[in-house]
Amino acid sequence: MRRADIAIIAFVTAVLLGGLGLIAWQSAGAAQSTLLPALERKALGVSRSIASLADEAVGYGIPVDEIVGAEAVLQSALDENREFAFALIEGTDGQLVAVAARSAFADPAARSTDAASSISAPILLGDVEVGRVVIGVPRQVAETLIRDLWIDVLVLLLVAVLIALELTAFAFALSASRRLTGLARRLAAVRAGDFRPHDAVGGTGALAEGIASVDEEVARVRQTHAALTRRAQETGDRESEIALAALDRRHGLTALRSDPPVTLVAVRAPVFLFFFAEEMTRPFLPTFIARQATPVFGLSIELVIALPIVVFMAIVALSQPWLNTLTERVGRGRGMHVGAVLAAFGYIGTAFAETYAGVVGFRALTAVGFAAVFVAAQGFIVDRTEAGLRARGIGIFVSAIMAAMLCGPPIGGILSDRLGDTTAFTICAVMALLAALTAIVALPSDRKGQADTATRSVRLSDFVALLRVPLMAALILGCALPAKMLLIGLCFYLLPLALASQFEPAAIGRVLMLYGLAMLVVVPLISRLSDGAGRRVPFVIAGGLLSATAVGHLWIWPEPWGAALTVLQIGVGQGLSTTPQSALVGEIGRRLAPHLSEGGIYGVFRLVERLGTALGPLFVAAVWTMYSQTAAVWSTALLVALGSAIFGLLWWWPNTRTVAERGAN
C-alpha cells in the first residue's frame, strides 16, 4: 500500500473517530443523567397500573390481604420488566400482603437499603389509602444500563470506522478513481525505480492519457533492456549481461507485478454490504423463529427452530455449483445484482411473515440470493486473476466477509433490541439493495463466456475417490466438517437461544462479534506463519482442539462471559486452522491422489464444509431433543476433538501413515 493511501485512510479514520466520538460522548452523557429518572417513571407507571387493579378489588369489598392472584400479577410485572428488583403489596401498617422478588432481593427488608430505590402507588378505597404497591429499581441496574450503553457506543464507533474504510475503498474503485489510483501507482512505482507493468485501467480523458503515456515509457524501457540483453547474449558480452541482469533485479525489467488488479477492489463494497446484511440476523434470528415456530411433522421444538437455518445452509451448499455455471453464463455482475435483490425480497418477506411456513419459505429465497452473490463475487475475482494472483484476490473477498462478520452481529442486535425484529429485517433488505446498487455502480462490464477457470460440478466419484484416501478423509470429514458444525450449530443456533432468556439481542450481538474479531486478527497472521514446511498440520490440529475445548467456558464462567469466551476461542481456533487446512487439501491431494484434478479435490472440500453448516444446527437440535442441551454442546465439541486427533494420528504415526498412503493406490 502506498504512503498516500495510508495517509488518506488515516485521515478519514481520524476525522470520523473525532466527530463520532464527540457525538457519542455528548449523547451518552445525556442518557446517563436521565436514565435513572426514566426507570423510576417506568416503575411508577407499573405500580399505578397494579394499584388500579387492586382498587377495583377492594371496591368490591375484598380486603387487601385477601386479594386472589396478587403474587402472580407481581411476578408477571417482574418478568416483563427485567430492570425491576422486586414488586410487593403492603398494608397501611407496613405488613406484607404479597411479594415477588429476584434472588438478590428475596428479603423484603432489602427494599429499605440503598441498593434499590422504591417507587410506590397507593391502593385506594374511595379517598382512603388501604395499602400500597411498591416497585424496587436497583441502582445497579442503572449502572449496568450505562455500562451497556458505553459498550454499544464503542461498538458503533468500531463499526463506523470499518464501514468508512470500506466506503473509502469503494470510492477508489469507481471508474474515475480507478484511473486516478492507477496513475498514482504508476508514478510512485517509477519514482521508486520499479518498472514492472501494471494492469490496464482503460477509460478516456486526461487521466487515461497520462496512464497510457507512463505505460508506453515503461514498455519502451523494458523493450530497450530486452534488446540490449539479446545483443549481449549474441555477442558473448558477459560483462554487459551481468550488468543488465543486475538492472533487472533492481528495477524488475523482466518481472511481472504481483499486485491484484485495481478493478478487484470494486467487489469489496458489495460483498461487505451484502454479508453485513446476513450477519445482522445472527443475534435475533433463532429467537425470531422460535416465536413463529409451530409443530411440524411431530418434530420437537428444537428441531422446528433449527429447520429454517438448516434449509438456508443446505440451499447455499447445494446450489452453488449450478449457480456458478449460471452466473458465468449471464455475467458475474448481473448475478450479484439479481442475487442481492432476491435476498432483499427474502428479508422483507421474513420480516412480515405471519406463519412458520412463511418464515421457512422466505429464508429459502434469501438463501438462493445469498448463494448467487457469493459465487458471483468469487467468480468475478477468479475470472480476473491469473493463478499466481488468485490467492491475493480471494484475500480481498475473504477480508470483506470477515469485516462483515465483525460488524454485523452487534449492529443487528442493537437494531432488534431498540427497533424490533421486523425493522431489523427491513434494514437487512435495505443493505442488500445497497449492495446491488454499489455493484451496479462500481463493477466493470461483465465478461460473459471469457473465463478460463470454468470447473465442472462435483461428482459422486470424486467423493468416493477421496474417501479411499484415509488421510484426506480425516482432513475433510474429521476437521473441516465438524468445524463448521460447531460454528453454526453452537455459535449461531444454540447460544443465541440460550442467551435470549437472560439477555437482550444487543448483548448477544456483542458476544457473536468476537468470532469475526478473532478471525480478522488471526487469519492474516496464520496465513504467513503456516507457509513453512511442516507447519500446517500442527496449526490444523491445534485449531481443532482449541475450538473443541472452548465449550468448557460455558460451565466455568457466568453468562454472558462464558459464552463470550467460547465464541472468542472458537474464532481463534478456527482462525488457526482455516488457512492451513485449505492449503493441506491441495498438498495431500497432489501427493496421495494425483489422479484427481485439484479443482475436483477443492470442490469436494468446499461442498463438505458447506454441508457442515447445514448439519450443525440439525445435529445440535437432535441431540438436544433426545438428551439435553449440555449433551448437544459436548457431543459437537467431541466430534471436533476426535476428528483433529484422528487426523494427527494418521499424519504422524508411521504405521498408520503408511496405511493412509496405501489407500491412495
Side-chain angles (χ1 to χ4, degrees):
M1 183 179 292
R2 295 179 303 109
R3 284 180 294 179
D5 295 336
I6 296 174
I8 291 174
I9 291 173
F11 177 75
V12 170
T13 303
V15 170
L16 188 66
L17 278 175
L20 289 178
L22 180 61
I23 294 172
W25 180 271
Q26 293 176 341
S27 300
Q32 186 170 339
S33 63
T34 60
L35 193 54
L36 188 57
L39 287 175
E40 292 177 347
R41 285 195 298 272
K42 182 179 181 181
L44 179 61
V46 173
S47 63
R48 286 175 175 173
S49 176
I50 297 174
S52 67
L53 295 176
D55 289 346
E56 294 183 16
V58 297
Y60 287 109
I62 302 173
V64 172
D65 57 356
E66 296 181 10
I67 296 176
V68 177
E71 290 190 353
V73 173
L74 296 176
Q75 186 60 51
S76 176
L78 285 189
D79 293 340
E80 294 175 3
N81 301 275
R82 297 180 181 178
E83 61 270 33
F84 294 168
F86 59 83
L88 57 87
I89 297 176
E90 62 183 9
T92 53
D93 57 357
Q95 182 179 359
L96 285 178
V97 174
V99 62
R102 305 200 187 280
S103 57
F105 294 86
D107 181 6
R111 71 183 189 276
S112 64
T113 69
D114 292 333
S117 59
S118 298
I119 308 299
S120 62
I123 300 173
L124 301 174
L125 178 60
D127 295 329
V128 179
E129 181 178 331
V130 295
R132 302 189 70 79
V133 176
V134 182
I135 301 292
V137 181
R139 300 189 185 280
Q140 184 182 3
V141 168
E143 296 172 1
T144 301
L145 291 175
I146 292 169
R147 181 200 65 195
D148 291 344
L149 175 64
W150 278 108
I151 292 174
D152 285 342
V153 167
L154 293 175
V155 168
L156 287 172
L157 282 174
L158 173 63
V159 172
V161 169
L162 290 175
I163 292 175
L165 295 179
E166 293 295 334
L167 293 179
T168 302
F170 169 69
F172 283 129
L174 297 176
S175 179
S177 298
R178 283 202 302 270
R179 291 193 289 274
L180 181 60
T181 303
L183 179 59
R185 287 185 177 181
R186 283 160 170 79
L187 295 176
V190 171
R191 181 181 178 184
D194 182 356
F195 285 87
R196 292 175 296 168
H198 291 260
D199 186 64
V201 175
T204 58
L207 288 175
E209 292 174 0
I211 290 172
S213 298
V214 175
D215 287 345
E216 288 172 3
E217 287 301 311
V218 169
R220 184 184 62 79
V221 171
R222 289 170 65 89
Q223 290 168 3
T224 301
H225 176 270
L228 291 173
T229 301
R230 285 194 303 270
R231 184 179 303 172
Q233 290 171 346
E234 291 170 357
T235 60
D237 188 348
R238 183 62 181 164
E239 185 177 346
S240 296
E241 283 188 60
I242 294 173
L244 289 167
L247 284 174
D248 181 20
R249 287 192 299 271
R250 186 183 307 165
H251 300 291
L253 291 168
T254 61
L256 297 177
R257 188 165 298 278
S258 59
D259 296 332
V262 177
T263 54
L264 291 189
V265 181
V267 83
R268 277 192 63 101
V271 168
F272 172 77
L273 291 172
F274 184 79
F275 278 82
F276 191 104
E278 180 58 29
E279 291 297 325
M280 282 198 298
T281 68
R282 301 294 191 194
F284 62 88
L285 178 61
T287 51
F288 174 82
I289 297 171
R291 288 193 294 272
Q292 300 277 8
T294 55
V296 178
F297 305 124
L299 298 177
S300 67
I301 187 63
E302 293 84 7
L303 285 168
V304 169
I305 296 172
L307 185 59
I309 302 175
V310 173
V311 168
F312 182 94
M313 294 299 178
I315 290 175
V316 171
L318 299 175
S319 64
Q320 286 191 29
W322 66 267
L323 281 173
N324 182 55
T325 303
L326 180 62
T327 57
E328 183 181 348
R329 185 182 308 123
V330 304
R332 304 298 192 182
R334 190 172 292 108
M336 290 186 68
H337 308 158
V338 174
V341 171
L342 283 177
F345 277 113
Y347 290 127
I348 289 292
T350 305
F352 295 98
E354 297 181 354
T355 63
Y356 175 76
V359 172
V360 175
F362 283 113
R363 286 302 291 167
L365 178 63
T366 307
V368 175
F370 183 92
V373 171
F374 184 91
V375 298
Q378 195 172 51
F380 174 87
I381 292 173
V382 171
D383 294 348
R384 286 166 171 77
T385 53
E386 299 175 356
L389 297 178
R390 194 154 297 146
R392 297 186 64 181
I394 293 296
I396 295 174
F397 175 73
V398 172
S399 63
I401 294 176
M402 289 192 294
M405 293 175 68
L406 172 61
C407 299
I411 297 301
I414 292 171
L415 291 174
S416 174
D417 196 7
R418 303 290 191 271
L419 304 177
D421 295 348
T422 299
T423 303
F425 273 119
T426 303
I427 294 174
C428 291
V430 172
M431 296 294 290
L433 292 176
L434 285 175
L437 180 62
T438 55
I440 292 172
V441 171
L443 295 186
S445 301
D446 284 319
R447 294 182 178 182
K448 293 185 289 184
Q450 295 181 13
D452 58 358
T453 57
T455 58
R456 61 175 174 81
S457 299
V458 176
R459 299 172 182 171
L460 181 60
S461 59
D462 296 330
F463 279 98
V464 174
L466 285 180
L467 292 180
R468 290 183 59 194
V469 182
L471 192 61
M472 182 67 80
L475 178 62
I476 294 178
L477 298 181
C479 297
L481 181 70
K484 295 301 181 184
M485 292 176 62
L486 182 69
L487 172 62
I488 305 300
L490 178 64
C491 296
F492 297 149
Y493 164 66
L494 190 146
L495 282 182
L497 284 175
L499 293 174
S501 61
Q502 303 177 57
F503 302 99
E504 300 296 337
I508 299 173
R510 291 195 294 269
V511 169
L512 297 184
M513 75 175 283
L514 295 175
Y515 178 83
L517 177 63
M519 292 287 285
L520 195 63
V521 172
V522 174
V523 168
L525 178 63
I526 298 303
S527 297
R528 293 190 294 269
L529 293 179
S530 65
D531 282 340
R535 294 180 183 174
R536 293 187 179 118
V537 173
F539 277 119
V540 170
I541 296 172
L545 295 178
L546 196 64
S547 298
T549 56
V551 301
H553 292 298
L554 296 174
W555 285 270
I556 297 175
W557 312 103
E559 299 299 353
W561 303 109
L565 289 172
T566 295
V567 172
L568 181 63
Q569 188 169 323
I570 289 175
V572 172
Q574 298 203 356
L576 286 175
S577 61
T578 296
T579 303
Q581 197 176 93
S582 299
L584 275 175
V585 169
E587 179 183 320
I588 296 173
R590 287 188 296 271
R591 182 165 56 86
L592 299 182
H595 55 290
L596 294 177
S597 69
E598 187 169 344
I601 293 172
Y602 274 103
V604 172
F605 174 67
R606 297 303 180 195
L607 182 57
V608 170
E609 273 195 322
R610 294 191 294 267
L611 288 175
T613 64
L615 291 175
L618 188 62
F619 178 82
V620 170
V623 177
W624 188 356
T625 298
M626 292 186 290
Y627 300 101
S628 66
Q629 187 181 103
T630 300
V633 172
W634 282 110
S635 59
T636 310
L638 184 61
L639 285 178
V640 177
L642 283 177
S644 300
I646 291 172
F647 175 69
L649 286 174
L650 285 171
W651 182 268
W652 278 312
W653 196 307
N655 294 332
T656 310
R657 188 172 178 184
T658 301
V659 172
E661 293 182 354
R662 284 178 191 161
N665 301 322

